[in-house]
């Protein structure tokens, strides 16, 4: 069995890096909860223009859900030491993340085509700001995905390096943390999309 020192865990059983991740996620939840609450309060104040949300935002949710499947595949492949499957899954996750960004951009363009702008009515401003912030956090996750993918191509070009990497608990835990964060931004967008559609 691994000692707590070897696994990097503290006596209460939570890895410090994982604890920091969950703390960051909690802060993001509070931030977006505050934004959606402000949306409801501002809408009730009047001077609110109703508009149909472009289908691109719905499509982007489907794309992001697909990327959650592929990153979970990557985690499983990593744990099973299937390097080629890990590379493929990480590459697909990056592609789907990029497709999500494009779909969001097209959604913003559709909003402009129907006369909804960032500096216009508060109804449109909220949609832009909230979706911009979400995309920024997806972009941050994609940066770490890209780093992990490059490592799988360069650092792990020698299979022995892959096996050595897996024995380091602090490094091994990062792929799981990356997947956790990615699942979070996926669930977050589903929540925001449903919120926009029903509110």
């Amino acid at each position: 069995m691994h000692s707590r020192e070897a696994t990097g865990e503290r006596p209460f059983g939570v890895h410090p890096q994982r604890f920091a991740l969950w703390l960051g996620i909690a802060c993001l939840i509070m931030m977006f909860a505050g934004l959606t609450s402000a949306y409801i309060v501002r809408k009730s104040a009047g001077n609110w223009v109703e508009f149909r949300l472009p289908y691109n935002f719905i499509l982007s949710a489907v794309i992001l859900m697909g990327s959650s499947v592929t990153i979970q595949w990557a985690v499983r492949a990593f744990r099973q030491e299937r390097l080629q499957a890990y590379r493929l899954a990480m590459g697909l996750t990056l592609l789907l993340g990029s497709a999500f960004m494009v779909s969001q951009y097209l959604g913003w363009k559709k909003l402009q085509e129907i006369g909804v702008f960032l500096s216009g009515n508060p109804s449109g401003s909220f949609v832009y700001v909230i979706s911009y912030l979400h995309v920024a956090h997806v972009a941050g996750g994609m940066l770490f995905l890209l780093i992990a993918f490059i490592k799988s191509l360069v650092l792990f070009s020698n299979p022995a390096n892959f096996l050595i990497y897996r024995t380091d608990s602090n490094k091994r835990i990062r792929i799981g943390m990356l997947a956790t964060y990615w699942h979070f931004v996926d669930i977050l967008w589903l929540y925001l999309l449903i919120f926009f559609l029903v509110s």
Side-chain angles (χ1 to χ4, degrees):
M1 293 183 62
H2 297 291
S3 66
R4 294 189 186 277
E5 289 75 12
T7 60
E9 292 185 356
R10 296 295 182 262
F12 51 83
V14 179
H15 193 284
Q17 293 180 11
R18 184 176 285 120
F19 176 78
L21 172 65
W22 283 110
L23 183 61
I25 287 175
C27 291
L28 290 177
I29 290 173
M30 288 188 290
M31 180 181 73
F32 280 97
L35 286 170
T36 51
S37 296
Y39 179 101
I40 294 172
V41 172
R42 181 60 185 83
K43 183 177 181 179
S44 64
N47 185 29
W48 192 265
V49 174
E50 299 287 346
F51 59 89
R52 185 186 296 273
L53 202 66
Y55 75 91
N56 302 84
F57 290 117
I58 299 174
L59 176 61
S60 65
V62 176
I63 293 170
L64 207 54
M65 285 189 290
S67 70
S68 274
V69 173
T70 57
I71 199 170
Q72 196 58 40
W73 175 26
V75 171
R76 187 177 300 108
F78 184 86
R79 291 172 178 169
Q80 296 173 349
E81 300 180 10
R82 295 186 293 122
L83 179 56
Q84 293 303 321
Y86 171 70
R87 286 172 173 161
L88 177 59
M90 291 298 285
L92 287 174
T93 305
L94 269 172
L95 285 175
L96 289 170
S98 299
F100 168 82
M101 306 280 275
V102 171
S103 184
Q104 292 292 88
Y105 172 76
L106 293 176
W108 296 329
K109 295 291 288 184
K110 291 286 186 182
L111 286 176
Q112 293 174 9
E113 289 175 8
I114 62 175
V116 179
F117 300 96
L118 173 63
S119 59
N121 190 271
S123 59
S125 299
F126 269 104
V127 171
Y128 277 106
V129 170
I130 291 174
S131 59
Y132 282 166
L133 284 172
H134 180 266
V135 164
H137 288 92
V138 170
M142 286 186 65
L143 175 61
F144 287 99
L145 276 172
L146 180 61
I147 292 171
F149 181 63
I150 292 174
K151 280 184 178 180
S152 74
L153 297 175
V154 179
L155 181 62
F156 301 156
S157 57
N158 181 350
N161 291 336
F162 181 58
L163 295 177
I164 293 171
Y165 190 92
R166 289 189 71 258
T167 62
D168 188 326
S169 62
N170 287 321
K171 293 179 179 178
R172 189 174 63 245
I173 200 173
R174 290 174 188 168
I175 177 62
M177 291 173 57
L178 179 55
T180 297
Y181 178 80
W182 198 255
H183 292 320
F184 166 71
V185 293
D186 182 4
I187 294 171
L188 177 60
W189 180 245
L190 287 176
Y191 159 72
L192 294 172
L193 178 63
I194 293 171
F195 174 83
F196 288 139
L197 291 173
V198 303
S199 62

